[in-house]
Amino acid sequence: MHPAPSALRRAAAAATIALLATAVGCAPQPDDKASDGSSSSAGTTCAKGKLATQTSGKLTIATDEPAYEPWFKDDKPANGEGFESAVAYAVAKQLGYDKSAVVWQSVPFNKAFAPGVKTFDFDINQVSISTERKKAVDFSSGYYDVRQAVIALKGSKAAKATSIADLKGLKLGAQVGTTSLNYISDVVKPSQEAAAYSKNDQAISALKNGQVDAIVTDLPTAFYVTAAQVTNAKIVGQFENQGGTPEQFGLVLDKGSALTSCVTSAVDALRKDGTLAKLDKQWLSDAVDAPVLK
């Protein structure tokens, strides 16, 4: 039995509308703000404790496992200790959710900002805000300004490097999908292909075992690695910010999340009232300086 002409016309119209909607959804979005998704949040009222979260009355926050110091403490994101755990709970409080209303979820680093629907309200895991990543997810405004650093074993050739040129002939490694790995390929441009590891602890093990000459991580992590994980290693130096603007960590949200503007407002309030600076001093005060590699 064939559809009537009117049914065909209705089906064709519906298909056209669906195609147009898909085209709009796939079109490049403006890159005016850190969140890149604030338009979807327009008109959202950030009613304390009554946001459109994954679970009503709860705030689901994600991070990777293991959760490294100094960002977290004792691999327990829920204990409120460590810079990012403390920031997460401070943001939750701004949004109207006390500690008992926060639910933690384990999400691998790369999956947090990969395309696809998210199972969390926001992710906090040293994820740098970038134009490329904003194609797939929303970001809050930055909660931490960060630099990348090089770690090498004491007494090695890499440990004696004082410039970017000194690093070019070395075998370098970093976690896959990170700006640390980008700094190797885009700034150092070594003669050997960089080693990419799925986890940061794998990169650290490679350094210990001599599989790489040096690894690149963010500066606070580098201080923790050399102080507690590889005590016979040293921070060779840190890189300058590229492009004149600081690299920043941002909270990751689903693309077009209705929470983006509310979470961004919460981060902005914590920066304005000095909370972020206070938590920085409390948890990251030891990670303050290292030679600059030029």
Side-chain angles (χ1 to χ4, degrees):
M1 182 176 178
H2 298 287
S6 60
L8 287 173
R9 285 194 296 272
R10 287 195 299 272
T16 301
I17 292 169
L19 286 171
L20 286 171
T22 302
V24 170
C26 295
Q29 300 300 305
D31 192 20
D32 297 328
K33 297 182 179 180
S35 70
D36 202 33
S38 57
S39 60
S40 65
S41 304
T44 298
T45 56
C46 302
K48 299 286 187 180
K50 297 181 180 180
L51 304 181
T53 54
Q54 294 283 336
T55 302
S56 180
K58 300 287 185 180
L59 187 67
T60 302
I61 304 176
T63 196
D64 202 353
E65 186 179 6
Y68 296 104
E69 296 191 27
W71 310 106
F72 300 91
K73 193 167 177 61
D74 301 326
D75 192 20
K76 296 177 180 177
N79 64 14
E81 299 185 61
F83 180 73
E84 289 194 326
S85 180
V87 168
Y89 281 116
V91 171
K93 185 178 179 180
Q94 282 285 329
L95 296 173
Y97 297 88
D98 62 25
K99 195 169 183 178
S100 65
V102 173
V103 178
W104 284 91
Q105 186 180 100
S106 176
V107 173
F109 178 81
N110 287 329
K111 190 174 180 180
F113 52 85
V117 177
K118 306 306 176 192
T119 56
F120 51 78
D121 294 312
F122 68 76
D123 178 279
I124 183 166
N125 190 24
Q126 306 114 67
V127 181
S128 296
I129 300 168
S130 74
T131 301
E132 185 63 29
R133 289 173 179 170
K134 284 191 286 184
K135 294 176 182 178
V137 294
D138 281 0
F139 280 96
S140 70
S141 52
Y143 62 86
Y144 182 70
D145 296 356
V146 66
R147 285 194 177 192
Q148 300 298 317
V150 179
I151 308 169
L153 297 180
K154 295 175 181 177
S156 66
K157 179 182 177 181
K160 299 173 184 176
T162 58
S163 67
I164 292 173
D166 293 337
L167 302 173
K168 290 186 180 295
L170 303 178
K171 181 68 174 179
L172 305 175
Q175 184 177 349
V176 69
T178 61
T179 50
S180 302
L181 190 60
N182 291 343
Y183 266 73
I184 295 175
S185 59
D186 300 341
V187 178
V188 180
K189 300 178 182 177
S191 55
Q192 304 179 57
E193 184 177 357
Y197 300 94
S198 59
K199 295 276 189 179
N200 206 40
D201 55 356
Q202 293 174 349
I204 294 167
S205 294
L207 177 66
K208 286 182 179 179
N209 298 330
Q211 294 169 302
V212 292
D213 298 311
I215 61 173
V216 178
T217 71
D218 61 78
L219 187 57
T221 296
F223 273 90
Y224 176 71
V225 169
T226 54
Q229 294 180 290
V230 192
T231 54
N232 64 328
K234 63 171 284 187
I235 297 175
V236 178
Q238 62 178 311
F239 296 106
E240 292 182 303
N241 287 317
Q242 301 301 300
T245 57
E247 177 184 348
Q248 291 187 314
F249 292 156
L251 304 177
V252 182
L253 300 96
D254 202 357
K255 186 68 178 174
S257 172
L259 303 182
T260 300
S261 63
C262 299
V263 173
T264 290
S265 295
V267 172
D268 291 345
L270 294 173
R271 184 176 290 279
K272 186 176 180 179
D273 70 11
T275 299
L276 293 181
K278 180 181 176 181
L279 295 177
D280 186 332
K281 184 177 181 180
Q282 179 180 357
W283 296 106
L284 305 177
S285 59
D286 292 336
V288 292
D289 198 19
V292 177
L293 299 168
K294 297 182 179 180

